[in-house]
Amino acid sequence: GQNIDQPTEMTATEGAIVQINCTYQTSGFNGLFWYQQHAGEAPTFLSYNVLDGLEEKGRFSSFLSRSKGYSYLLLKELQMKDSASYLCAVTDSNYQLIWGAGTKLIIKP
Amino acid sequence: GAVVSQHPSWVICKSGTSVKIECRSLDFQATTMFWYRQFPKQSLMLMATSNEGSKATYEQGVEKDKFLINHASLTLSTLTVTSAHPEDSSFYICSARDQVGPDYEQYFGPGTRLTVT
């Protein structure tokens, strides 16, 4: 079956760095997404990785290792507004998005 | 950037009635749209994939007679929840794939919160 695992909840301090991990097992792979979702709102796109390596975009970076079925989202200089759920999603061989359950990130002052 | 709208943003209806939710791609054409449902503190669950001009493909466990999907044009898909019950109360989100963009790109609407009393 298809499976995406990520931690349920993480806590970090304002100004610090946090890494959210995601491991996946899917039938085929056509890219991995990270989305941010605030409570009661739709997901917003953060990053897309299809090749191995690190993609940096401002305070957010995303890493992919296809051989290990592993990705992480790195958030630097954490701000209170970063408190949200972070969803990992993989596009399978049919270009269908397979979603992880999401990681709720709590930022403390 | 690509914008997807949903209407209404929230709706309260009585049990047994039907509710229609619209999903529009405002500045691009979408041959494929997706409908998701999200219960509190849970991840998105794909309900169906809607292709313009053809029947929607429903995920296992989703009743096609209860959740009617129509994708009549390249910019509009509708989801009708028929004979709604309180357990249908959820956050419904659509997304749209740009006809001319890479296959991976999906743009999400703001969601519709349905409460059935």
Side-chain angles (χ1 to χ4, degrees):
Chain A
Q2 312 214 80
N3 193 50
I4 296 183
D5 288 316
Q6 49 181 131
T8 304
E9 187 174 297
M10 298 182 70
T11 302
T13 304
E14 189 177 16
I17 299 173
V18 70
Q19 177 175 310
I20 303 174
N21 295 324
C22 170
T23 58
Y24 63 90
Q25 295 165 319
T26 56
S27 55
F29 177 85
N30 277 302
L32 184 143
F33 293 83
W34 283 97
Y35 285 87
Q36 180 191 61
Q37 186 178 26
H38 286 101
E41 299 180 11
T44 55
F45 172 82
L46 288 179
S47 67
Y48 171 74
N49 294 69
V50 67
L51 300 176
D52 290 349
L54 187 68
E55 295 278 343
E56 297 187 76
K57 191 183 295 185
R59 293 191 298 116
F60 293 3
S61 303
S62 57
F63 172 83
L64 174 67
S65 169
R66 288 172 297 171
S67 63
K68 295 182 179 179
Y70 167 72
S71 171
Y72 68 73
L73 179 69
L74 190 72
L75 293 77
K76 303 176 184 177
E77 302 170 16
L78 286 170
Q79 302 174 9
M80 298 303 293
K81 66 179 182 179
D82 297 329
S83 292
S85 287
Y86 291 85
L87 306 172
C88 173
V90 172
T91 308
D92 68 9
S93 55
N94 294 319
Y95 289 98
Q96 179 165 315
L97 269 178
I98 312 299
W99 292 87
T103 298
K104 182 180 180 180
L105 177 62
I106 300 169
I107 309 297
K108 295 184 175 179
Chain B
V3 178
V4 175
S5 70
Q6 274 185 247
H7 178 81
S9 55
W10 60 270
V11 57
I12 301 173
C13 71
K14 292 186 177 180
S15 186
T17 62
S18 296
V19 174
K20 180 185 284 188
I21 302 171
E22 292 185 349
C23 177
R24 292 181 186 273
S25 56
L26 298 185
D27 50 3
F28 67 98
Q29 293 185 324
T31 49
T32 304
M33 290 184 173
F34 304 88
W35 286 97
Y36 294 89
R37 181 166 53 182
Q38 186 176 34
F39 293 106
K41 299 184 180 180
Q42 295 187 24
S43 189
L44 298 168
M45 291 174 51
L46 180 65
M47 298 176 67
T49 302
S50 166
N51 291 296
E52 185 265 337
S54 63
K55 291 182 178 180
T57 302
Y58 290 80
E59 295 299 301
Q60 192 172 10
V62 178
E63 300 174 58
K64 57 183 67 176
D65 293 332
K66 180 172 181 62
F67 298 99
L68 302 179
I69 291 173
N70 186 301
H71 192 160
S73 77
L74 286 172
T75 59
L76 173 65
S77 177
T78 60
L79 167 67
T80 301
V81 183
T82 63
S83 187
H85 289 99
E87 56 265 32
D88 298 324
S89 298
S90 186
F91 192 45
Y92 291 86
I93 306 172
C94 75
S95 70
R97 180 178 287 165
D98 191 331
Q99 182 182 25
V100 297
D103 281 339
Y104 62 76
E105 294 209 55
Q106 285 189 35
Y107 304 96
F108 284 87
T112 297
R113 186 160 301 283
L114 170 63
T115 302
V116 185
T117 61

PDB file of all heavy atoms in Angstrom, chain B residues 85-117:
ATOM      1  N   HIS B  85     -26.435  14.693   6.051  1.00  0.00           N
ATOM      2  CA  HIS B  85     -26.609  14.278   7.434  1.00  0.00           C
ATOM      3  C   HIS B  85     -25.519  14.913   8.285  1.00  0.00           C
ATOM      4  O   HIS B  85     -24.489  15.354   7.765  1.00  0.00           O
ATOM      5  CB  HIS B  85     -26.551  12.751   7.539  1.00  0.00           C
ATOM      6  CG  HIS B  85     -27.739  12.073   6.952  1.00  0.00           C
ATOM      7  ND1 HIS B  85     -27.744  11.526   5.689  1.00  0.00           N
ATOM      8  CD2 HIS B  85     -28.983  11.858   7.442  1.00  0.00           C
ATOM      9  CE1 HIS B  85     -28.935  11.011   5.426  1.00  0.00           C
ATOM     10  NE2 HIS B  85     -29.700  11.200   6.473  1.00  0.00           N
ATOM     11  N   PRO B  86     -25.732  14.961   9.588  1.00  0.00           N
ATOM     12  CA  PRO B  86     -24.722  15.596  10.458  1.00  0.00           C
ATOM     13  C   PRO B  86     -23.314  15.032  10.260  1.00  0.00           C
ATOM     14  O   PRO B  86     -22.339  15.786  10.371  1.00  0.00           O
ATOM     15  CB  PRO B  86     -25.270  15.318  11.860  1.00  0.00           C
ATOM     16  CG  PRO B  86     -26.756  15.294  11.678  1.00  0.00           C
ATOM     17  CD  PRO B  86     -26.961  14.629  10.335  1.00  0.00           C
ATOM     18  N   GLU B  87     -23.185  13.763   9.943  1.00  0.00           N
ATOM     19  CA  GLU B  87     -21.843  13.198   9.751  1.00  0.00           C
ATOM     20  C   GLU B  87     -21.162  13.696   8.487  1.00  0.00           C
ATOM     21  O   GLU B  87     -19.955  13.445   8.280  1.00  0.00           O
ATOM     22  CB  GLU B  87     -21.892  11.662   9.731  1.00  0.00           C
ATOM     23  CG  GLU B  87     -22.830  11.075   8.698  1.00  0.00           C
ATOM     24  CD  GLU B  87     -24.200  10.752   9.257  1.00  0.00           C
ATOM     25  OE1 GLU B  87     -24.649  11.477  10.184  1.00  0.00           O
ATOM     26  OE2 GLU B  87     -24.816   9.789   8.761  1.00  0.00           O
ATOM     27  N   ASP B  88     -21.914  14.394   7.624  1.00  0.00           N
ATOM     28  CA  ASP B  88     -21.316  15.010   6.436  1.00  0.00           C
ATOM     29  C   ASP B  88     -20.697  16.361   6.755  1.00  0.00           C
ATOM     30  O   ASP B  88     -20.040  16.970   5.898  1.00  0.00           O
ATOM     31  CB  ASP B  88     -22.364  15.188   5.330  1.00  0.00           C
ATOM     32  CG  ASP B  88     -22.944  13.860   4.868  1.00  0.00           C
ATOM     33  OD1 ASP B  88     -22.189  12.870   4.824  1.00  0.00           O
ATOM     34  OD2 ASP B  88     -24.158  13.818   4.571  1.00  0.00           O
ATOM     35  N   SER B  89     -20.905  16.837   7.967  1.00  0.00           N
ATOM     36  CA  SER B  89     -20.308  18.111   8.378  1.00  0.00           C
ATOM     37  C   SER B  89     -18.792  17.984   8.301  1.00  0.00           C
ATOM     38  O   SER B  89     -18.205  17.098   8.915  1.00  0.00           O
ATOM     39  CB  SER B  89     -20.738  18.457   9.805  1.00  0.00           C
ATOM     40  OG  SER B  89     -22.146  18.624   9.886  1.00  0.00           O
ATOM     41  N   SER B  90     -18.190  18.863   7.542  1.00  0.00           N
ATOM     42  CA  SER B  90     -16.746  18.765   7.310  1.00  0.00           C
ATOM     43  C   SER B  90     -16.270  20.006   6.576  1.00  0.00           C
ATOM     44  O   SER B  90     -17.051  20.896   6.247  1.00  0.00           O
ATOM     45  CB  SER B  90     -16.440  17.510   6.485  1.00  0.00           C
ATOM     46  OG  SER B  90     -15.052  17.297   6.362  1.00  0.00           O
ATOM     47  N   PHE B  91     -14.986  20.049   6.342  1.00  0.00           N
ATOM     48  CA  PHE B  91     -14.354  21.109   5.549  1.00  0.00           C
ATOM     49  C   PHE B  91     -14.085  20.512   4.178  1.00  0.00           C
ATOM     50  O   PHE B  91     -13.344  19.538   4.055  1.00  0.00           O
ATOM     51  CB  PHE B  91     -13.060  21.532   6.250  1.00  0.00           C
ATOM     52  CG  PHE B  91     -12.434  22.796   5.736  1.00  0.00           C
ATOM     53  CD1 PHE B  91     -13.182  23.927   5.471  1.00  0.00           C
ATOM     54  CD2 PHE B  91     -11.055  22.859   5.544  1.00  0.00           C
ATOM     55  CE1 PHE B  91     -12.598  25.098   5.009  1.00  0.00           C
ATOM     56  CE2 PHE B  91     -10.455  24.033   5.088  1.00  0.00           C
ATOM     57  CZ  PHE B  91     -11.225  25.149   4.823  1.00  0.00           C
ATOM     58  N   TYR B  92     -14.697  21.075   3.144  1.00  0.00           N
ATOM     59  CA  TYR B  92     -14.554  20.556   1.791  1.00  0.00           C
ATOM     60  C   TYR B  92     -13.648  21.508   1.005  1.00  0.00           C
ATOM     61  O   TYR B  92     -13.899  22.707   0.937  1.00  0.00           O
ATOM     62  CB  TYR B  92     -15.920  20.422   1.109  1.00  0.00           C
ATOM     63  CG  TYR B  92     -16.768  19.334   1.726  1.00  0.00           C
ATOM     64  CD1 TYR B  92     -17.572  19.607   2.833  1.00  0.00           C
ATOM     65  CD2 TYR B  92     -16.753  18.031   1.226  1.00  0.00           C
ATOM     66  CE1 TYR B  92     -18.345  18.601   3.420  1.00  0.00           C
ATOM     67  CE2 TYR B  92     -17.513  17.030   1.807  1.00  0.00           C
ATOM     68  CZ  TYR B  92     -18.300  17.324   2.906  1.00  0.00           C
ATOM     69  OH  TYR B  92     -19.053  16.329   3.496  1.00  0.00           O
ATOM     70  N   ILE B  93     -12.611  20.943   0.420  1.00  0.00           N
ATOM     71  CA  ILE B  93     -11.623  21.744  -0.301  1.00  0.00           C
ATOM     72  C   ILE B  93     -11.485  21.212  -1.719  1.00  0.00           C
ATOM     73  O   ILE B  93     -11.405  19.999  -1.923  1.00  0.00           O
ATOM     74  CB  ILE B  93     -10.242  21.681   0.385  1.00  0.00           C
ATOM     75  CG1 ILE B  93     -10.350  22.067   1.864  1.00  0.00           C
ATOM     76  CG2 ILE B  93      -9.246  22.592  -0.319  1.00  0.00           C
ATOM     77  CD1 ILE B  93      -9.055  21.825   2.628  1.00  0.00           C
ATOM     78  N   CYS B  94     -11.459  22.117  -2.672  1.00  0.00           N
ATOM     79  CA  CYS B  94     -11.199  21.702  -4.046  1.00  0.00           C
ATOM     80  C   CYS B  94      -9.817  22.180  -4.461  1.00  0.00           C
ATOM     81  O   CYS B  94      -9.273  23.127  -3.882  1.00  0.00           O
ATOM     82  CB  CYS B  94     -12.253  22.237  -4.996  1.00  0.00           C
ATOM     83  SG  CYS B  94     -12.107  23.994  -5.356  1.00  0.00           S
ATOM     84  N   SER B  95      -9.256  21.511  -5.422  1.00  0.00           N
ATOM     85  CA  SER B  95      -8.019  21.989  -6.037  1.00  0.00           C
ATOM     86  C   SER B  95      -8.131  21.792  -7.541  1.00  0.00           C
ATOM     87  O   SER B  95      -8.939  20.986  -8.010  1.00  0.00           O
ATOM     88  CB  SER B  95      -6.790  21.260  -5.486  1.00  0.00           C
ATOM     89  OG  SER B  95      -6.764  19.918  -5.932  1.00  0.00           O
ATOM     90  N   ALA B  96      -7.350  22.544  -8.270  1.00  0.00           N
ATOM     91  CA  ALA B  96      -7.427  22.496  -9.730  1.00  0.00           C
ATOM     92  C   ALA B  96      -6.036  22.386 -10.328  1.00  0.00           C
ATOM     93  O   ALA B  96      -5.077  22.981  -9.812  1.00  0.00           O
ATOM     94  CB  ALA B  96      -8.126  23.745 -10.253  1.00  0.00           C
ATOM     95  N   ARG B  97      -5.940  21.600 -11.380  1.00  0.00           N
ATOM     96  CA  ARG B  97      -4.679  21.430 -12.081  1.00  0.00           C
ATOM     97  C   ARG B  97      -4.715  22.268 -13.351  1.00  0.00           C
ATOM     98  O   ARG B  97      -5.646  22.179 -14.137  1.00  0.00           O
ATOM     99  CB  ARG B  97      -4.447  19.957 -12.392  1.00  0.00           C
ATOM    100  CG  ARG B  97      -3.155  19.647 -13.123  1.00  0.00           C
ATOM    101  CD  ARG B  97      -3.014  18.173 -13.330  1.00  0.00           C
ATOM    102  NE  ARG B  97      -2.684  17.488 -12.094  1.00  0.00           N
ATOM    103  CZ  ARG B  97      -2.789  16.168 -11.927  1.00  0.00           C
ATOM    104  NH1 ARG B  97      -3.227  15.410 -12.899  1.00  0.00           N
ATOM    105  NH2 ARG B  97      -2.471  15.602 -10.783  1.00  0.00           N
ATOM    106  N   ASP B  98      -3.698  23.079 -13.535  1.00  0.00           N
ATOM    107  CA  ASP B  98      -3.617  23.950 -14.698  1.00  0.00           C
ATOM    108  C   ASP B  98      -3.477  23.121 -15.977  1.00  0.00           C
ATOM    109  O   ASP B  98      -2.637  22.240 -16.059  1.00  0.00           O
ATOM    110  CB  ASP B  98      -2.418  24.891 -14.539  1.00  0.00           C
ATOM    111  CG  ASP B  98      -2.403  26.016 -15.555  1.00  0.00           C
ATOM    112  OD1 ASP B  98      -2.921  25.820 -16.669  1.00  0.00           O
ATOM    113  OD2 ASP B  98      -1.861  27.086 -15.238  1.00  0.00           O
ATOM    114  N   GLN B  99      -4.294  23.422 -16.943  1.00  0.00           N
ATOM    115  CA  GLN B  99      -4.305  22.659 -18.199  1.00  0.00           C
ATOM    116  C   GLN B  99      -2.964  22.707 -18.917  1.00  0.00           C
ATOM    117  O   GLN B  99      -2.537  21.741 -19.531  1.00  0.00           O
ATOM    118  CB  GLN B  99      -5.399  23.206 -19.115  1.00  0.00           C
ATOM    119  CG  GLN B  99      -5.539  22.464 -20.432  1.00  0.00           C
ATOM    120  CD  GLN B  99      -6.606  23.068 -21.309  1.00  0.00           C
ATOM    121  OE1 GLN B  99      -6.928  24.239 -21.193  1.00  0.00           O
ATOM    122  NE2 GLN B  99      -7.183  22.274 -22.187  1.00  0.00           N
ATOM    123  N   VAL B 100      -2.284  23.839 -18.806  1.00  0.00           N
ATOM    124  CA  VAL B 100      -1.052  23.993 -19.558  1.00  0.00           C
ATOM    125  C   VAL B 100       0.190  23.932 -18.680  1.00  0.00           C
ATOM    126  O   VAL B 100       1.290  24.010 -19.168  1.00  0.00           O
ATOM    127  CB  VAL B 100      -1.033  25.321 -20.355  1.00  0.00           C
ATOM    128  CG1 VAL B 100      -2.140  25.319 -21.380  1.00  0.00           C
ATOM    129  CG2 VAL B 100      -1.155  26.509 -19.422  1.00  0.00           C
ATOM    130  N   GLY B 101      -0.012  23.799 -17.391  1.00  0.00           N
ATOM    131  CA  GLY B 101       1.131  23.753 -16.496  1.00  0.00           C
ATOM    132  C   GLY B 101       1.674  22.353 -16.348  1.00  0.00           C
ATOM    133  O   GLY B 101       1.107  21.393 -16.872  1.00  0.00           O
ATOM    134  N   PRO B 102       2.760  22.223 -15.583  1.00  0.00           N
ATOM    135  CA  PRO B 102       3.291  20.883 -15.311  1.00  0.00           C
ATOM    136  C   PRO B 102       2.241  20.036 -14.621  1.00  0.00           C
ATOM    137  O   PRO B 102       1.398  20.525 -13.890  1.00  0.00           O
ATOM    138  CB  PRO B 102       4.475  21.168 -14.384  1.00  0.00           C
ATOM    139  CG  PRO B 102       4.825  22.583 -14.622  1.00  0.00           C
ATOM    140  CD  PRO B 102       3.545  23.283 -14.963  1.00  0.00           C
ATOM    141  N   ASP B 103       2.339  18.747 -14.811  1.00  0.00           N
ATOM    142  CA  ASP B 103       1.332  17.862 -14.237  1.00  0.00           C
ATOM    143  C   ASP B 103       1.254  17.951 -12.730  1.00  0.00           C
ATOM    144  O   ASP B 103       0.235  17.645 -12.138  1.00  0.00           O
ATOM    145  CB  ASP B 103       1.635  16.405 -14.631  1.00  0.00           C
ATOM    146  CG  ASP B 103       1.188  16.111 -16.048  1.00  0.00           C
ATOM    147  OD1 ASP B 103       0.330  16.852 -16.551  1.00  0.00           O
ATOM    148  OD2 ASP B 103       1.700  15.152 -16.638  1.00  0.00           O
ATOM    149  N   TYR B 104       2.356  18.401 -12.109  1.00  0.00           N
ATOM    150  CA  TYR B 104       2.332  18.350 -10.663  1.00  0.00           C
ATOM    151  C   TYR B 104       1.599  19.512 -10.028  1.00  0.00           C
ATOM    152  O   TYR B 104       1.272  19.479  -8.862  1.00  0.00           O
ATOM    153  CB  TYR B 104       3.761  18.319 -10.100  1.00  0.00           C
ATOM    154  CG  TYR B 104       4.611  19.534 -10.406  1.00  0.00           C
ATOM    155  CD1 TYR B 104       4.426  20.731  -9.713  1.00  0.00           C
ATOM    156  CD2 TYR B 104       5.602  19.496 -11.358  1.00  0.00           C
ATOM    157  CE1 TYR B 104       5.199  21.847  -9.975  1.00  0.00           C
ATOM    158  CE2 TYR B 104       6.389  20.609 -11.626  1.00  0.00           C
ATOM    159  CZ  TYR B 104       6.189  21.772 -10.933  1.00  0.00           C
ATOM    160  OH  TYR B 104       6.968  22.862 -11.195  1.00  0.00           O
ATOM    161  N   GLU B 105       1.342  20.572 -10.759  1.00  0.00           N
ATOM    162  CA  GLU B 105       0.813  21.764 -10.118  1.00  0.00           C
ATOM    163  C   GLU B 105      -0.672  21.658  -9.807  1.00  0.00           C
ATOM    164  O   GLU B 105      -1.489  21.398 -10.672  1.00  0.00           O
ATOM    165  CB  GLU B 105       1.047  22.990 -11.001  1.00  0.00           C
ATOM    166  CG  GLU B 105       2.511  23.328 -11.152  1.00  0.00           C
ATOM    167  CD  GLU B 105       2.744  24.804 -11.378  1.00  0.00           C
ATOM    168  OE1 GLU B 105       2.269  25.592 -10.552  1.00  0.00           O
ATOM    169  OE2 GLU B 105       3.373  25.145 -12.383  1.00  0.00           O
ATOM    170  N   GLN B 106      -1.010  21.833  -8.544  1.00  0.00           N
ATOM    171  CA  GLN B 106      -2.395  21.916  -8.107  1.00  0.00           C
ATOM    172  C   GLN B 106      -2.554  23.183  -7.285  1.00  0.00           C
ATOM    173  O   GLN B 106      -1.689  23.509  -6.480  1.00  0.00           O
ATOM    174  CB  GLN B 106      -2.782  20.731  -7.221  1.00  0.00           C
ATOM    175  CG  GLN B 106      -2.998  19.425  -7.951  1.00  0.00           C
ATOM    176  CD  GLN B 106      -3.577  18.357  -7.050  1.00  0.00           C
ATOM    177  OE1 GLN B 106      -4.383  18.634  -6.163  1.00  0.00           O
ATOM    178  NE2 GLN B 106      -3.175  17.127  -7.269  1.00  0.00           N
ATOM    179  N   TYR B 107      -3.659  23.848  -7.476  1.00  0.00           N
ATOM    180  CA  TYR B 107      -3.941  25.073  -6.748  1.00  0.00           C
ATOM    181  C   TYR B 107      -5.212  24.859  -5.938  1.00  0.00           C
ATOM    182  O   TYR B 107      -6.220  24.393  -6.454  1.00  0.00           O
ATOM    183  CB  TYR B 107      -4.095  26.239  -7.714  1.00  0.00           C
ATOM    184  CG  TYR B 107      -2.898  26.420  -8.610  1.00  0.00           C
ATOM    185  CD1 TYR B 107      -2.871  25.874  -9.888  1.00  0.00           C
ATOM    186  CD2 TYR B 107      -1.766  27.101  -8.166  1.00  0.00           C
ATOM    187  CE1 TYR B 107      -1.763  26.009 -10.702  1.00  0.00           C
ATOM    188  CE2 TYR B 107      -0.653  27.251  -8.983  1.00  0.00           C
ATOM    189  CZ  TYR B 107      -0.658  26.693 -10.252  1.00  0.00           C
ATOM    190  OH  TYR B 107       0.441  26.822 -11.051  1.00  0.00           O
ATOM    191  N   PHE B 108      -5.144  25.221  -4.672  1.00  0.00           N
ATOM    192  CA  PHE B 108      -6.244  24.939  -3.757  1.00  0.00           C
ATOM    193  C   PHE B 108      -7.190  26.121  -3.613  1.00  0.00           C
ATOM    194  O   PHE B 108      -6.765  27.281  -3.576  1.00  0.00           O
ATOM    195  CB  PHE B 108      -5.701  24.556  -2.377  1.00  0.00           C
ATOM    196  CG  PHE B 108      -5.153  23.167  -2.328  1.00  0.00           C
ATOM    197  CD1 PHE B 108      -3.842  22.911  -2.676  1.00  0.00           C
ATOM    198  CD2 PHE B 108      -5.960  22.119  -1.952  1.00  0.00           C
ATOM    199  CE1 PHE B 108      -3.337  21.623  -2.641  1.00  0.00           C
ATOM    200  CE2 PHE B 108      -5.469  20.814  -1.911  1.00  0.00           C
ATOM    201  CZ  PHE B 108      -4.157  20.576  -2.268  1.00  0.00           C
ATOM    202  N   GLY B 109      -8.467  25.798  -3.506  1.00  0.00           N
ATOM    203  CA  GLY B 109      -9.452  26.794  -3.131  1.00  0.00           C
ATOM    204  C   GLY B 109      -9.400  27.030  -1.633  1.00  0.00           C
ATOM    205  O   GLY B 109      -8.732  26.285  -0.906  1.00  0.00           O
ATOM    206  N   PRO B 110     -10.109  28.036  -1.141  1.00  0.00           N
ATOM    207  CA  PRO B 110     -10.065  28.380   0.287  1.00  0.00           C
ATOM    208  C   PRO B 110     -10.873  27.448   1.170  1.00  0.00           C
ATOM    209  O   PRO B 110     -10.782  27.519   2.396  1.00  0.00           O
ATOM    210  CB  PRO B 110     -10.640  29.798   0.323  1.00  0.00           C
ATOM    211  CG  PRO B 110     -11.538  29.852  -0.866  1.00  0.00           C
ATOM    212  CD  PRO B 110     -10.893  29.002  -1.918  1.00  0.00           C
ATOM    213  N   GLY B 111     -11.657  26.556   0.568  1.00  0.00           N
ATOM    214  CA  GLY B 111     -12.422  25.601   1.361  1.00  0.00           C
ATOM    215  C   GLY B 111     -13.834  26.084   1.664  1.00  0.00           C
ATOM    216  O   GLY B 111     -14.127  27.284   1.661  1.00  0.00           O
ATOM    217  N   THR B 112     -14.710  25.123   1.928  1.00  0.00           N
ATOM    218  CA  THR B 112     -16.099  25.384   2.310  1.00  0.00           C
ATOM    219  C   THR B 112     -16.399  24.578   3.563  1.00  0.00           C
ATOM    220  O   THR B 112     -16.239  23.353   3.571  1.00  0.00           O
ATOM    221  CB  THR B 112     -17.082  24.957   1.199  1.00  0.00           C
ATOM    222  OG1 THR B 112     -16.849  25.735   0.032  1.00  0.00           O
ATOM    223  CG2 THR B 112     -18.528  25.132   1.658  1.00  0.00           C
ATOM    224  N   ARG B 113     -16.807  25.277   4.603  1.00  0.00           N
ATOM    225  CA  ARG B 113     -17.138  24.565   5.836  1.00  0.00           C
ATOM    226  C   ARG B 113     -18.635  24.277   5.852  1.00  0.00           C
ATOM    227  O   ARG B 113     -19.454  25.200   5.828  1.00  0.00           O
ATOM    228  CB  ARG B 113     -16.747  25.396   7.058  1.00  0.00           C
ATOM    229  CG  ARG B 113     -16.952  24.616   8.374  1.00  0.00           C
ATOM    230  CD  ARG B 113     -16.146  25.207   9.513  1.00  0.00           C
ATOM    231  NE  ARG B 113     -14.714  25.238   9.248  1.00  0.00           N
ATOM    232  CZ  ARG B 113     -13.898  24.195   9.312  1.00  0.00           C
ATOM    233  NH1 ARG B 113     -14.391  22.998   9.613  1.00  0.00           N
ATOM    234  NH2 ARG B 113     -12.612  24.346   9.078  1.00  0.00           N
ATOM    235  N   LEU B 114     -18.974  23.015   5.854  1.00  0.00           N
ATOM    236  CA  LEU B 114     -20.377  22.584   5.860  1.00  0.00           C
ATOM    237  C   LEU B 114     -20.758  22.076   7.243  1.00  0.00           C
ATOM    238  O   LEU B 114     -20.075  21.219   7.802  1.00  0.00           O
ATOM    239  CB  LEU B 114     -20.599  21.466   4.832  1.00  0.00           C
ATOM    240  CG  LEU B 114     -21.960  20.743   4.875  1.00  0.00           C
ATOM    241  CD1 LEU B 114     -23.088  21.712   4.558  1.00  0.00           C
ATOM    242  CD2 LEU B 114     -21.969  19.564   3.912  1.00  0.00           C
ATOM    243  N   THR B 115     -21.839  22.636   7.760  1.00  0.00           N
ATOM    244  CA  THR B 115     -22.395  22.165   9.028  1.00  0.00           C
ATOM    245  C   THR B 115     -23.825  21.713   8.782  1.00  0.00           C
ATOM    246  O   THR B 115     -24.652  22.484   8.288  1.00  0.00           O
ATOM    247  CB  THR B 115     -22.383  23.274  10.100  1.00  0.00           C
ATOM    248  OG1 THR B 115     -21.040  23.724  10.294  1.00  0.00           O
ATOM    249  CG2 THR B 115     -22.933  22.751  11.427  1.00  0.00           C
ATOM    250  N   VAL B 116     -24.108  20.473   9.101  1.00  0.00           N
ATOM    251  CA  VAL B 116     -25.452  19.921   8.921  1.00  0.00           C
ATOM    252  C   VAL B 116     -26.083  19.741  10.298  1.00  0.00           C
ATOM    253  O   VAL B 116     -25.533  19.062  11.164  1.00  0.00           O
ATOM    254  CB  VAL B 116     -25.409  18.572   8.179  1.00  0.00           C
ATOM    255  CG1 VAL B 116     -26.828  18.071   7.901  1.00  0.00           C
ATOM    256  CG2 VAL B 116     -24.631  18.692   6.883  1.00  0.00           C
ATOM    257  N   THR B 117     -27.224  20.374  10.477  1.00  0.00           N
ATOM    258  CA  THR B 117     -27.870  20.334  11.801  1.00  0.00           C
ATOM    259  C   THR B 117     -29.034  19.344  11.834  1.00  0.00           C
ATOM    260  O   THR B 117     -29.516  18.909  10.786  1.00  0.00           O
ATOM    261  CB  THR B 117     -28.384  21.716  12.197  1.00  0.00           C
ATOM    262  OG1 THR B 117     -29.357  22.134  11.219  1.00  0.00           O
ATOM    263  CG2 THR B 117     -27.255  22.742  12.224  1.00  0.00           C
TER     264      THR B 117
END
